Amino acid sequence: MTHILRVDASIKGDASVSRGLTAKIVEKLQAAAPGATVTARDLSPGVPQIDGAWLGAVFADPATLDADQQAIRAQADAYLDEVRAADVLVIGLPVYNFSVPAQLKAWLDQLARRGETFVYTEAGPEGLLKGKRAIVAMSSDGVAMGSEADFASGYLRHMLGFFGITDVEFVVADQMAFGAEAGLARAEAALAKLAA
């Protein structure tokens, strides 16, 4: 049975274009696989930044952790477990100031755990989350995907690949400030071509 992890990061709530697109993508996937299950993770309230306390909690022997460290590790493990359990990740990528939202970056930082999502080998880094598919719903007001000012899509694709997730597709509503209807039409066309 297919399991979908829907990740939203937009702070715009119901007015969010990326949220609208992630909803449509999940709907299409569920229509093709009626038994599919979905876990929704909303990052907009914020994701803890990694820091020294996080390092101490995540990489220490679990038996040595105090209550605060146990709570930090439990949150980090929850993010990781959701990704591990997913066959398909549907990720909302609203472009903020030419890049990924801070909360989405913090989520990726939480996932970047040596020995859990990647390892270093003699041949270089190797991702450990192989065999998953990611569909990214990207929205932006002014940035065109793939342009010199797009520091979001390439970064997210790279991080997913670093974790071993190389089957990555984009549904994009970009440059909405220059024509919202045209931007949405491009996204709808990509959605129509998306294999479920």
Side-chain angles (χ1 to χ4, degrees):
M1 182 185 312
T2 300
H3 184 65
I4 302 162
L5 173 61
R6 175 183 171 183
V7 180
D8 286 301
S10 173
I11 58 175
K12 294 183 178 178
D14 292 340
S16 165
V17 172
S18 64
R19 285 179 188 272
L21 292 175
T22 58
K24 288 180 179 181
I25 293 166
V26 168
E27 185 178 298
K28 181 169 185 173
L29 294 173
Q30 286 183 300
T37 55
V38 180
T39 296
R41 170 63 75 173
D42 187 353
L43 306 178
S44 66
V47 175
Q49 299 289 322
I50 61 171
D51 57 13
W54 181 88
L55 281 175
V58 168
F59 292 105
D61 178 347
T64 67
L65 302 181
D66 63 26
D68 290 340
Q69 291 173 316
Q70 288 173 8
I72 291 169
R73 184 168 185 142
Q75 181 64 75
D77 286 348
Y79 293 131
L80 182 55
D81 290 345
E82 287 174 349
V83 174
R84 280 188 172 140
D87 301 297
V88 183
L89 284 74
V90 178
I91 303 172
L93 173 58
V95 177
Y96 293 169
N97 302 315
F98 309 103
S99 191
V100 299
Q103 56 272 26
L104 183 56
K105 169 69 164 65
W107 177 74
L108 292 166
D109 287 342
Q110 288 275 348
L111 296 176
R113 292 167 59 176
R114 187 174 182 174
E116 301 286 351
T117 54
F118 72 94
V119 291
Y120 289 117
T121 71
E122 290 182 5
E126 179 183 348
L128 300 178
L129 300 179
K130 296 179 176 76
K132 299 180 186 301
R133 177 186 185 194
I135 305 170
V136 179
M138 177 177 164
S139 64
S140 73
D141 281 340
V143 174
M145 181 178 170
S147 70
E148 288 184 3
D150 173 16
F151 301 103
S153 65
Y155 171 74
L156 182 56
R157 183 188 295 274
H158 177 82
M159 287 303 298
L160 292 171
F162 184 70
F163 298 152
I165 304 170
T166 57
D167 181 0
V168 182
E169 301 162 87
F170 283 80
V171 173
V172 182
D174 56 358
Q175 295 190 296
M176 296 284 287
F178 303 105
E181 287 186 14
L184 290 172
R186 287 191 294 275
E188 290 291 345
L191 184 59
K193 293 178 184 176
L194 193 67

